Amino acid sequence: MRIAISGTHFIGKSTLIEDFIKKHPNYRSEVEPYYKLQDQATVESSLEPCLDSFLVQLDYSINQINECADEQNIIFDRCPVDFLAYAMCELNQDSININDSEVSERFSDVKAALDNLDLIIFLPITKENSIEYTEEDLDYRKAVDIFLKKLYRDDICDIFPQYNHPEIIEISGDRAVRLRKLENCLAY
C-alpha cells in the first residue's frame, strides 16, 4: 500500500509515521520534501513561507510519488495536497485566486500523482489533535488547515482522480489512537 500522511505543520505527521514504521518495518518512509530539498540546498533553510518555496516542494512531492508508483509498502510524509494548501495561503494573502496563478498549471500533475496513492491520511486540527508546539503564527497554521479541509472535503481544485481515487481518511486522537486508526486502514 502507498500511503501519504497529510496535514498542517505541527500536527503530528512525522510522529505518526515513526510510530507506524516501528510496528511495520516492512514499510519504508519517504521524508518530507522540505527536508529532502533542504539537504540538497534547493530550498532556503528559512522557515519563512513563500510561494516559490512551496512550488518547488510541490514539484518535488509530485515527482517523489510518481517515482515510487510501482513500489508497495511506502509511507510519505506529506503529499502534493499539502503544498497546494500552503500555496493557497500565500496567494490568499495577496488576494489572488489559485485558478489565476501558476499553481493551477500543476493541477493535472497533482491529479496524476494522487492516482499513484492508495490512501491519504489527513490529520485535521481538532481539539483531539491538540499538541504542544512553539509556533509564532497560529493563524497561518489554522489557515493551512482550513485550505486542506476545503481541498479534501470539497475538492475545490478538482485534483482528485475520478477513478482510482485514493481513499482519504481523517484521523484524530492521541498518538496511540491515531496509530490504531491507521493500522485499521490496512485491513481494507
Side-chain angles (χ1 to χ4, degrees):
M1 186 171 261
R2 291 176 303 276
I3 305 167
I5 308 297
S6 177
T8 191
H9 48 291
F10 298 108
I11 196 73
K13 295 176 304 298
S14 299
T15 301
L16 177 58
I17 291 170
E18 289 171 16
D19 293 346
F20 180 78
I21 293 292
K22 283 179 189 173
K23 288 192 69 181
H24 301 273
N26 58 320
Y27 273 79
R28 77 173 183 85
S29 65
E30 277 291 318
V31 176
E32 178 177 343
Y34 177 83
Y35 296 112
K36 288 284 231 184
L37 292 165
Q38 195 175 33
D39 289 344
Q40 298 170 9
T42 307
V43 174
E44 292 182 24
S45 60
S46 166
L47 294 177
E48 193 66 34
C50 74
L51 182 60
D52 289 340
S53 172
F54 294 132
L55 291 176
V56 169
Q57 292 174 75
L58 172 61
D59 292 339
Y60 186 91
S61 180
I62 290 167
N63 291 332
Q64 183 184 46
I65 290 172
N66 288 339
E67 288 174 5
C68 298
D70 295 328
E71 290 187 42
Q72 290 298 316
N73 298 349
I74 186 165
I75 188 165
F76 297 91
D77 191 337
R78 295 201 178 273
C79 71
V81 180
D82 293 76
F83 303 108
L84 288 180
Y86 280 97
M88 290 171 88
C89 281
E90 292 302 305
L91 293 168
N92 192 51
Q93 291 176 8
D94 294 331
S95 299
I96 299 171
N97 183 311
I98 193 165
N99 294 308
D100 298 329
S101 73
E102 60 190 299
V103 178
S104 64
E105 299 167 2
R106 291 166 167 85
F107 288 170
S108 62
D109 293 335
V110 169
K111 187 179 276 194
L114 294 177
D115 196 33
N116 292 320
L117 291 173
D118 300 306
L119 176 64
I120 298 174
I121 299 295
F122 171 45
L123 304 176
I125 293 177
T126 66
K127 290 178 183 174
E128 293 178 300
N129 281 1
S130 187
I131 62 170
E132 289 186 35
Y133 57 92
T134 55
E135 175 67 27
E136 292 179 20
D137 193 348
L138 300 175
D139 292 334
Y140 187 75
R141 181 174 179 264
K142 290 176 184 176
V144 172
D145 182 69
I146 289 168
F147 281 118
L148 282 165
K149 288 172 180 169
K150 289 179 180 180
L151 287 162
Y152 283 122
R153 295 174 182 171
D154 303 326
D155 194 14
I156 61 171
C157 293
D158 190 32
I159 55 170
F160 293 101
Q162 186 174 3
Y163 307 104
N164 300 324
H165 187 294
E167 185 166 4
I168 300 166
I169 308 262
E170 290 189 26
I171 290 181
S172 60
D174 66 25
R175 202 169 167 170
V177 169
R178 289 180 181 192
L179 178 59
R180 188 171 57 251
K181 288 179 179 180
L182 172 54
E183 289 175 321
N184 288 341
C185 294
L186 299 180
Y188 291 117

